[in-house]
Amino acid sequence: MNFNNGSPTIVVLKEGTDKSQGKAQIISNINACLSIQDILKPTLGPLGSDILLSDQTNKTIITNDGATILKSLDIVHPACQILVDISKSQDMEIGDGTTTVTLLACELMKESKQFLEEGINSNLIMKSYNMALKKAIELIKSDLSVKIDTSNENEEALRDLLEKCAKTAMSSKLINSNSKFFVNMCVDAILTLDRQHLDLNNVGIKKVSGGSMEDSLFVKGVAFAKTFSYAGFEQQPKYFTNPKILSLNLELELKAERDNAEVRIEKVEEYQKIVDAEWKLIHDKLELIKNTGANIILSKLPIGDLATQYFADNGIFCSGRVDPEDLNRVIKAVGGSIQTSVSDLKPEHLGTCGIFEEKQIGNERYNLFTECSNTKTCTLVLRGGANQVIEEVARSLNDALMIVKRSLQLNSIVIGGGAIEMAISKRLRDYAKTIKGKQQLMINAFAKALEIIPRQLCENAGLDSVELLNKLRMSHSVNQGKDNAFVGINFQIENIANNFESFIWEPMSNKINSLQSATEACNLILSIDETITNKQQGDEGGNIQGIRGQGMGM
């Protein structure tokens, strides 16, 4: 590429390099992002539709989860990748609201487009959006959120609150029709965990094909599928009450004793001594394990046929090649610790539970540890007629678990159904009247962009969005005080209503994170004013070599 500013031509970039910059490039990036918005719009809300995604291997995904859709799409445009990142961030931090954050970011860009076309500098738009964001978060924390009591004094009241938050999170998912069943399962899982940490890694999710969704099981303890086993396994007992459980990171096989060993012998009798020594070594290990009084032996590493038969003869259950995550959750449930040697086993190294059993679930056999004394972990065994259904149930439950967790941690909720967006919009318009200059227009544009959520909820439900939005604006303008933040779209009556009384609740952190991520993504797109594409040999689309930004250190 040649750069010529009246001086002799200087070649800096190779021939074929495409260089785009200025206002036209920003608008081009915005248009690319708006195409992503068109894909996600129909999936928003409880009556949103699902999207079927298929890849080159004919693997199909049916979902309406924004993060899953964006992750599965083969998006090559560099600006659109920012939308993928904010949806992933929302999914990891909050769990729900992945579609909302993407739609908000795109709508903010759409509103800024008119200002760019009129010649307003993008830095001024970014500054105005940051002012509006700061005011919106301040409004949510001070006026538009509701404190809920999550103390331990009244477990029934706490459970009722968490169930309402979980039900709202499930309203737009595949499991909505079975929400009562899964809400109980979700809240049971969260209340099982340590209230101080609420680590969702302690909630195991297992998937078993077959049956209906309501055949799914909540196990207050640990459950994992039967591991690979050798002959003699079927002779082992499959049910214990108050068993002693020994967890190992040790291989119990003959071959383990001759690995990396070299022995030189001169007589046949010496070879027999070596074989006898190998057998003695493993027998001594098995004898030490039996002497601990353990009834159940679990190991991350294989347990061979000799050890399996030995344990069967002594009425001991064993399971080798247990997944490390499952074994760690077993330790948290039953106590004890994982041992790498059997030479110094003590009673405190063993754990115990109320009941252990091997149970048939669908076409698979599962090992279940229940009635544990210090249970801080649980397992959800999900069932369904098709793998795609089970995968979507797992994604939906993960979102609901995250929402319940955040509600329990932060003790504050906002009202769903577009109520919080309309309340912020109304107050931002009032705030804009106190601002002088062009920034007043841009804060109004920010307020207008928030209306995309209630508008799209109505359109996806087949309702008259113009009529209902006018009703919402009127209600939020006429009603004064905190109650006007509660009026939103209620799909049960297909009209506006007080959604606080209808228990359409969301965690406050959900909305704050959505607004922050959407505004940051919009400002990042507005800050990019130059894209350089180097078309390499055999590359029709080109590879992005550089993106220059302004005002944000790009």
Side-chain angles (χ1 to χ4, degrees), residues 15 21 42 99 107 117 133 190 252 379 384 387 452 475 533:
E15 288 297 324
Q21 67 181 66
T99 304
E107 196 66 15
E117 292 170 343
L133 172 65
I190 293 296
L252 296 175
T379 308
N387 287 331
I452 181 65
S475 174
T533 308

Side-chain angles (χ1 to χ4, degrees), residues 32 41 46 61 72 95 97 127 129 166 244 271 313 348 370 389 417 423 450 463 545:
K41 271 184 177 181
I61 298 174
S72 304
K127 183 179 178 182
Y129 278 2
K244 293 182 180 179
Y271 176 74
D313 293 342
E348 57 265 27
T370 56
V389 173
L450 295 175
L463 306 177
Q545 298 297 315

Side-chain angles (χ1 to χ4, degrees), residues 19 23 50 103 143 188 235 249 320 381 397 448 494:
K19 179 171 176 288
K23 179 178 71 176
D50 291 346
L103 295 186
D143 295 337
D188 284 340
Q235 300 171 27
N249 185 16
V381 183
L397 272 180
K448 182 182 176 185
E494 298 186 352

